[in-house]
Amino acid sequence: MPIATGGYGFSDVSLSYGFGAQRRASGTIRVQAGQFYDGTIRSITIGPGSTFSSARIAVMQRLAVEPTFSITRVERPNSSFTTRLARARVDYGFTPLMFASGLVQWNSADRAFSTNLRFRWEYAPGSEVFLVYTDERDIRDDRYATPTTVRGLKNRALVVKFSRMFRY
């Protein structure tokens, strides 16, 4: 159901608890409740504390996992929905100048599963090679598909970036 035009005031309250970054496993649990246009919103997120920090589990000295899970419930006068987001980032540092990372994400609202794999190598000071692979798939259940529903592969890209710093 569409949201009527006009002005809306939003007020909400959130409570979070952060686990110290100095620990082997760190992160934040956040609960939020408040107004959402002409309805309400409630959510719980386990993972990142803010845009600048993340939940992190140091598996080994060079290997870390950053998981996130979020559930959001929106209730409006004539409709309601729940979205779920699960994400995991894996980082591995081969050396201080070479690393690989992977991000996998599932989003229930889009019914999409996406991956992003990245490799970075600084082969000389200021000179780098990046390899990035991205893939996004629609995992919608065929029982709920319409004739215009796009299923399967939605997006795929392989990017190679090479930079060289020249010193004069």
Side-chain angles (χ1 to χ4, degrees):
M1 175 164 188
I3 296 173
T5 59
Y8 293 92
F10 293 89
S11 63
D12 67 356
V13 63
S14 65
L15 176 66
S16 62
Y17 179 80
F19 300 94
Q22 76 278 10
R23 300 177 192 266
R24 187 174 180 95
S26 64
T28 302
I29 297 174
R30 181 173 185 252
V31 178
Q32 176 188 8
Q35 296 173 324
F36 185 79
Y37 293 98
D38 57 349
T40 61
I41 186 171
R42 295 185 315 258
S43 72
I44 182 167
T45 301
I46 300 170
S50 70
T51 306
F52 304 107
S53 67
S54 60
R56 188 169 181 88
I57 301 168
V59 179
M60 299 183 325
Q61 185 177 4
R62 296 182 181 186
L63 178 64
V65 178
E66 299 175 1
T68 301
F69 186 73
S70 176
I71 299 176
T72 302
R73 175 79 177 162
V74 172
E75 295 180 353
R76 298 188 48 232
N78 295 319
S79 64
S80 62
F81 62 90
T82 301
T83 63
R84 293 169 186 83
L85 175 73
R87 179 176 58 213
R89 175 184 209 97
V90 179
D91 294 320
Y92 185 80
F94 297 98
T95 70
L97 301 176
M98 183 188 305
F99 76 87
S101 67
L103 175 71
V104 292
Q105 179 173 292
W106 172 75
N107 184 337
S108 70
D110 294 339
R111 292 184 175 87
F113 181 79
S114 59
T115 59
N116 181 283
L117 306 173
R118 184 174 57 153
F119 174 79
R120 176 191 175 268
W121 173 40
E122 185 175 347
Y123 62 91
S127 303
E128 302 168 320
V129 172
F130 282 93
L131 296 171
V132 180
Y133 173 79
T134 302
D135 187 294
E136 183 178 7
R137 296 181 177 274
D138 186 310
I139 54 173
R140 194 175 315 263
D141 189 334
D142 287 339
R143 293 176 293 175
Y144 305 109
T146 65
T148 60
T149 301
V150 176
R151 289 182 292 280
L153 184 63
K154 292 171 70 174
N155 180 25
R156 179 180 287 164
L158 176 64
V159 177
V160 179
K161 177 185 171 188
F162 174 81
S163 68
R164 175 74 176 139
M165 183 171 124
F166 296 99
R167 295 179 187 225
Y168 296 100

